[in-house]
Amino acid sequence: MKFMILTDLHGKKSAIEWINAVIVKEKIDCVLFLGDAVAVPSPKEDSAAMIGMIDCKRVLAIPGNIDARDLPQILDTVSENMHGVGKDVDGIYIAGFGGSNPTIFGTPSEFSEEEIFEKLDSISKEGMILMVHAPAYGINDIIPSGISVGSKSVLEIAKKYKPKAVLSGHIHESFGRQDIDGTIYVNPGPAMDGRYAIMETDGDSIDIKVYGPLD
């Protein structure tokens, strides 16, 4: 199965054209959208409208920290809501949780570390694909000042369940792939800058490649 991984569109409608072109060119089966459909805190309908422009037969989505806290209530109208949800996708177990751990900005969809752990722990399985907005602490989470701002609960869940992959966004500057203790950690980088990743898996083996705007 072939997945396109997208995050942090931040309201850039012009990005939809190249996204949909990649979906066709690469014969993508499913898009995993990791949140922040809008640029500033906005009504849930604005985020849903952006996600609804992604033209793929299957789109699984979670909110980002800037998306409205009640976005999951209508995500199923434009995609498949994965916020606090775990499901089998053609033999591949995927668990998701959107928003982020607390930030200095007080954005709409922030959760305590305790809540993040509790919600993820209840839906996680060993060997899953984990889709989150906030990265695991210390991995793909370095802001320009050099500080790690990822979620310690996401890291704890990854250590406990040893997922095949942890897919995140949120930190625009810290995109890329890291392979740690048998888990692939990927932040594709913001789609608003032309960045994305492609994941191919047969349920056992998995490979993920990260692409920039010139690739």
Side-chain angles (χ1 to χ4, degrees):
M1 193 168 183
K2 201 170 189 180
F3 296 85
M4 185 179 189
I5 306 163
L6 295 169
T7 187
D8 297 279
L9 265 170
H10 289 293
K12 191 170 184 180
K13 292 182 180 180
S14 61
I16 297 298
E17 183 175 353
W18 70 257
I19 287 169
N20 289 339
V22 170
I23 290 169
V24 172
K25 179 183 177 182
E26 296 293 337
K27 299 179 180 178
I28 298 297
D29 298 301
C30 181
V31 170
L32 304 179
F33 182 70
L34 307 179
D36 277 359
V38 292
V40 296
S42 308
K44 61 181 180 291
E45 291 80 8
D46 292 357
S47 294
M50 279 296 299
I51 296 167
M53 295 170 71
I54 300 171
D55 189 11
C56 188
K57 54 190 172 184
R58 198 164 188 184
V59 178
L60 277 57
I62 56 174
N65 61 299
I66 296 178
D67 294 310
R69 199 175 184 91
D70 56 352
L71 172 60
Q73 295 176 6
I74 62 168
L75 262 178
D76 279 327
T77 65
V78 294
S79 64
E80 296 177 48
N81 173 40
M82 290 298 294
H83 181 62
V85 174
K87 66 169 64 176
D88 184 271
V89 179
D90 289 349
I92 302 160
Y93 186 78
I94 302 178
F97 192 80
S100 75
N101 48 310
T103 76
I104 63 172
F105 303 108
T107 47
S109 292
E110 297 182 11
F111 302 90
S112 69
E113 291 284 9
E114 291 77 14
E115 187 171 8
I116 293 170
F117 183 85
E118 179 182 340
K119 296 293 185 181
L120 280 177
D121 195 41
S122 68
I123 59 172
S124 291
K125 293 183 180 180
E126 189 168 346
M128 65 185 167
I129 303 294
L130 179 59
M131 53 185 295
V132 287
H133 183 66
Y137 181 80
I139 305 169
N140 298 329
D141 74 332
I142 306 295
I143 60 175
S145 64
I147 297 173
S148 285
V149 294
S151 168
K152 293 181 179 179
S153 291
V154 171
L155 178 62
E156 190 174 353
I157 288 291
K159 288 182 175 179
K160 180 176 180 179
Y161 290 98
K162 304 185 187 313
K164 288 184 172 69
V166 175
L167 314 175
S168 66
H170 191 41
I171 309 304
H172 295 193
E173 308 84 3
S174 201
F175 57 85
R177 168 177 169 162
Q178 296 188 51
D179 293 53
I180 302 172
D181 295 331
T183 296
I184 302 172
Y185 293 83
V186 168
N187 173 354
M192 71 179 210
D193 293 339
R195 299 190 178 279
Y196 64 101
I198 291 180
M199 176 174 72
E200 294 188 74
T201 178
D202 59 8
D204 294 318
S205 64
I206 182 173
D207 189 40
I208 307 176
K209 294 180 181 178
V210 179
Y211 296 89
L214 299 179
D215 294 330

